[in-house]
Amino acid sequence: MRLLKSNVILRLLNSYLVDSPQPANISYLWNFGSLLGACLILQILTGVFLAMHYTPNVEMAFSSVEHIMRDVNAGWILRYTHANVASFFFIFVYAHIARGIYYSSYREPRTLTWTIGVVILILMMGTGFLGYVLPYGQMSLWGATVITNLLSAIPVFGKDLVELIWGGFSVSNATLNRFFSLHFLLPFVLAALVAGHLLALHENGSGNPNGITGNGDRYPMHPYFSFKDLVTVFLFLLALSIIVCFYPNLLGHSDNYIPANPMQTPASIVPEWYLLPYYAILRSIPNKLLGVLAMFGSLLILLVLPFTDLSRIRGSQFRPIMKVANWFFFINFFILMWIGSQHPDSPYVEIGQISTAFYFLWFLLLVPVIGLIENTLYDLNYNTQINSKNLMNKEDKNLKTERKTY
C-alpha cells in the first residue's frame, strides 16, 4: 500500500481504482462503466491480432476472414469474440446512457462527463460501422454504399465528399484500405476519450439513485465496489463464452456470409442491430437531406438535455411524471429499433414517423414542460404548507391570548 501512495503513476491509479470515494447507495446499474471498459480492452486486443491476418483488398478481404476462421490457431475464437463483444459494447452503452437519463446524470456538475460520453457514443458508432464493412460480405458492401451515399445529400460538395471517402466512383480497394486504417486507429482515440471521461467523472464523483450531492456516506472504490464490478464482469464473460461457443452468429446478418457482389443487390439492406433506431429515423423522413440531418441530430440532441431539463429535482426517483415519461422514451427507442429492421412499407413507415416525432419531442418539449409542471406543483405544495403552518401558529397565539384574558 505504501508503494501505491509514493510512486507518481501508481498514486494516480490508486486515486481512481482504490481510494476513490463512491456513494454508498449506488446499485448494480452503476456497473456498466466497468463493463464498457472490459469491452474496450477486449476489442483492442482481439482487433490487434485480427489485423495481423486480415487483408484489406476487395478480392481477398472475404477470403482472409475465412482464413482466420479456418486456418489460424484459435482464429475463430478471436473473430467471433471481436464480433460479439461489439454487440455487447452497444448493449452496455445503451444501458449506461439509459441509466444516465433516468437518474439525470447529465445535470451539473457532471455536464462535461455527459458531453464526453456523447462524443464517445458517436465515435463508437463510426468505428462499429467501419468494422462492419471489413469482412466484405454482401451486407458489408451494400451497407457501405448506402450509408456513405447519404453524404451526397449535403448541398454543393456532397458528391465530392462521397468520392473522397470512396477514393473513386464506388466502394473499392481504396475505400476498404481507408476503412481498415480508421477502424484500427479509432479505438485508441476512443481510449483517450475514455480517459478524459474518467478524469471529468473523478472531478465531482459518481451520482447516486437519490440524486443527492454530498461527501457524506461514501466508501472507497476498493474493495467495496471493485468486487461488485467483478460480479457483473464475470457474468458478462460467462454470457460471452456461451454465445461465442454455441451461438456465434446470433447477432449477425446471414447475408454477410455471402461474398460481396456489386452486381446483385440484397433483398433488404439493413445495418447492424445497434444502428437500427437511427436507420429508422433516417427512413421516416422522405426528404434525403432532412433525413440525414435528423439521423445525426438524434445523437447530438443528447447534448441539449442538461439545458432542457428545468426540474429542481435530480433524477426520476422522486418524480412520478418524469418516471413515466422516461419509460415511454425507452419503449419508443425499442420500437424504432424494430422499425429499422422492417421493410419500408405501410404500416411500418407510419409507425416510424410517429416514433421519430416522439423521440425529438421528448427532448425538446416533454422534458422541459414536465420540469416546469413539477416545479409549479412543488411551489404550490410548499406555499400551502407554509400558509397552513402560519395559520396554525396564528391560532395557537390566539388561544394563548384568550387563556391569559380569562
Side-chain angles (χ1 to χ4, degrees), residues 373-388:
I373 290 171
E374 288 176 341
N375 290 345
T376 305
L377 292 173
Y378 173 79
D379 289 339
L380 288 171
N381 182 57
Y382 179 76
N383 290 333
T384 302
Q385 288 180 350
I386 293 295
N387 291 334
S388 177

Side-chain angles (χ1 to χ4, degrees), residues 385-402:
Q385 288 180 350
I386 293 295
N387 291 334
S388 177
K389 191 175 181 179
N390 290 337
L391 186 62
M392 288 176 66
N393 289 337
K394 191 175 181 180
E395 288 177 355
D396 288 342
K397 194 179 287 185
N398 290 337
L399 281 171
K400 287 177 182 178
T401 306
E402 287 176 6

Side-chain angles (χ1 to χ4, degrees), residues 123-382:
L123 192 64
M124 273 180 62
M125 288 187 170
T127 308
F129 166 70
L130 295 173
Y132 188 56
V133 175
L134 296 184
Y136 213 62
Q138 270 289 73
M139 203 53 65
S140 297
L141 168 63
W142 289 99
T145 303
V146 170
I147 299 300
T148 52
N149 244 319
L150 295 175
L151 298 175
S152 65
I154 300 172
V156 184
F157 60 89
K159 291 183 180 178
D160 294 329
L161 182 61
V162 172
E163 289 177 10
L164 178 66
I165 292 169
W166 283 347
F169 299 101
S170 64
V171 176
S172 59
N173 274 336
T175 317
L176 210 56
N177 274 282
R178 291 170 187 193
F179 280 22
F180 174 64
S181 300
L182 287 171
H183 184 68
F184 189 87
L185 293 173
L186 285 180
F188 297 101
V189 178
L190 199 62
L193 282 170
V194 168
H197 190 66
L198 290 173
L199 282 169
L201 177 65
H202 193 65
E203 189 69 26
N204 297 291
S206 297
N208 60 80
N210 292 334
I212 299 167
T213 302
N215 293 323
D217 200 19
R218 287 176 177 261
Y219 296 124
M221 182 73 179
H222 180 78
Y224 299 102
F225 298 102
S226 55
F227 281 98
K228 194 174 181 181
D229 283 338
L230 284 174
V231 172
T232 46
V233 168
F234 283 130
L235 287 174
F236 156 58
L237 293 175
L238 176 63
L240 177 65
S241 302
I242 292 169
I243 288 177
V244 167
C245 294
F246 298 102
Y247 310 100
N249 302 313
L250 181 66
L251 300 170
H253 198 289
S254 56
D255 280 0
N256 227 28
Y257 293 91
I258 303 170
N261 183 0
M263 303 302 292
Q264 183 182 355
T265 309
S268 176
I269 300 173
V270 292
E272 281 279 57
W273 69 267
Y274 43 79
L275 299 176
L276 289 175
Y278 309 101
Y279 188 57
I281 290 171
L282 170 71
R283 294 193 315 186
S284 296
I285 300 174
N287 183 278
K288 186 177 180 181
L289 178 59
L290 291 178
V292 173
L293 291 174
M295 183 180 69
F296 287 110
S298 63
L299 290 168
L300 295 174
I301 202 169
L302 290 166
L303 296 172
V304 309
L305 263 179
F307 308 102
T308 57
D309 189 351
L310 305 175
S311 176
R312 299 193 194 114
I313 304 170
R314 187 190 301 274
S316 304
Q317 191 79 345
F318 307 109
R319 300 171 61 194
I321 303 174
M322 196 61 205
K323 192 178 288 188
V324 173
N326 279 331
W327 281 110
F328 272 114
F329 177 76
F330 300 148
I331 292 166
N332 184 68
F333 187 80
F334 283 107
I335 291 172
L336 283 171
M337 190 179 291
W338 168 63
I339 291 296
S341 66
Q342 304 300 313
H343 289 281
D345 300 322
S346 186
Y348 304 119
V349 173
E350 290 79 8
I351 296 171
Q353 289 170 343
I354 294 168
S355 295
T356 299
F358 179 82
Y359 182 92
F360 287 101
L361 287 173
W362 188 87
F363 287 97
L364 301 175
L365 185 64
L366 279 180
V367 171
V369 167
I370 290 172
L372 290 172
I373 290 171
E374 288 176 341
N375 290 345
T376 305
L377 292 173
Y378 173 79
D379 289 339
L380 288 171
N381 182 57
Y382 179 76

Side-chain angles (χ1 to χ4, degrees), residues 38-87:
C39 286
L40 180 60
I41 292 167
L42 279 172
Q43 287 298 82
I44 290 175
L45 289 176
T46 54
V48 167
F49 285 108
L50 287 170
M52 296 175 185
H53 302 279
Y54 176 76
T55 307
N57 182 286
V58 292
E59 301 294 334
M60 302 174 67
F62 189 86
S63 300
S64 69
V65 174
E66 290 300 308
H67 164 69
I68 291 169
M69 295 286 292
R70 297 171 187 272
D71 302 327
V72 176
N73 286 334
W76 65 275
I77 294 178
L78 285 173
R79 197 264 169 130
Y80 281 145
T81 299
H82 195 73
N84 285 289
V85 170
S87 290

Side-chain angles (χ1 to χ4, degrees), residues 7 25 33 102 169 174 195 209 381:
N7 185 277
N25 63 334
Y102 191 83
F169 299 101
N381 182 57

Side-chain angles (χ1 to χ4, degrees), residues 21-32:
Q22 303 297 328
N25 63 334
I26 57 175
S27 65
Y28 278 101
L29 292 175
W30 268 256
N31 285 30
F32 290 115

